[in-house]
Amino acid sequence: MENQQERRQSFSKRLTQIELENRMILFSYTVVADFFEFQADHLLFMNATDSVGKQWIFVGKFHASDNVGNYVSINLPWFALEKGLKVNDEISFTEIPQGNRPWKNFKVVIKRRIRLFGEDIWGELM
């Protein structure tokens, strides 16, 4: 039961080459449906705090596509540069409840796979 609740409070994805080139991450709307109400072509704003306490504002957009369905794109140009994001890094957003405010607050965490003594270990980027 705890894992289901944890999944509802956060969403994550491994980054692809195309996402890094465009400094934009794409989520299927079903992945983020618990957090945002879909409104085609509308913007969304996310306040986020990273692992070292730095504040970020991410701007996203809702998209409707006949080919791939509804999805959300989230721009992260300065964040991607400063964090040195790479293909297969995992980005996670965990909601920080703020009551009835019109924007969402999240903790954003980046994890990278590191090979250590022949074993894969996921480490958090700071």
Side-chain angles (χ1 to χ4, degrees):
M1 186 65 136
E2 188 176 311
N3 285 342
Q4 287 178 339
Q5 207 169 30
E6 193 174 291
R7 274 188 223 123
R8 265 186 259 128
Q9 294 175 352
S10 66
F11 56 98
S12 63
K13 180 172 194 227
R14 288 203 189 150
L15 299 173
T16 66
Q17 183 66 40
I18 292 171
E19 289 170 322
L20 287 176
E21 288 170 3
N22 294 305
R23 295 188 180 115
M24 176 185 304
I25 188 168
L26 304 172
F27 288 97
S28 164
Y29 179 67
T30 57
V31 172
V32 299
D34 288 340
F35 303 94
F36 306 105
E37 182 181 335
F38 186 83
Q39 297 176 9
D41 297 324
H42 281 81
L43 298 178
L44 65 97
F45 297 89
M46 299 169 54
N47 291 336
T49 306
D50 66 16
S51 299
V52 295
K54 184 171 181 177
Q55 299 290 314
W56 298 89
I57 296 175
F58 298 120
V59 178
K61 186 175 180 181
F62 296 103
H63 303 272
S65 168
D66 292 335
N67 296 330
V68 295
N70 296 337
Y71 67 97
V72 176
S73 62
I74 300 172
N75 293 317
L76 32 98
W78 299 113
F79 183 81
L81 284 172
E82 186 170 312
K83 297 295 183 181
L85 299 181
K86 295 182 179 183
V87 173
N88 288 325
D89 284 352
E90 183 176 275
I91 186 167
S92 298
F93 294 93
T94 303
E95 186 176 18
I96 302 168
Q98 297 292 313
N100 291 332
R101 294 186 181 167
W103 62 87
K104 300 282 185 179
N105 287 298
F106 292 89
K107 176 166 175 72
V108 59
V109 174
I110 303 296
K111 291 186 179 179
R112 181 170 292 158
R113 185 173 48 202
I114 306 163
R115 191 110 174 123
L116 185 64
F117 301 115
E119 297 291 324
D120 288 336
I121 298 172
W122 284 90
E124 187 174 333
L125 292 180
M126 295 297 174

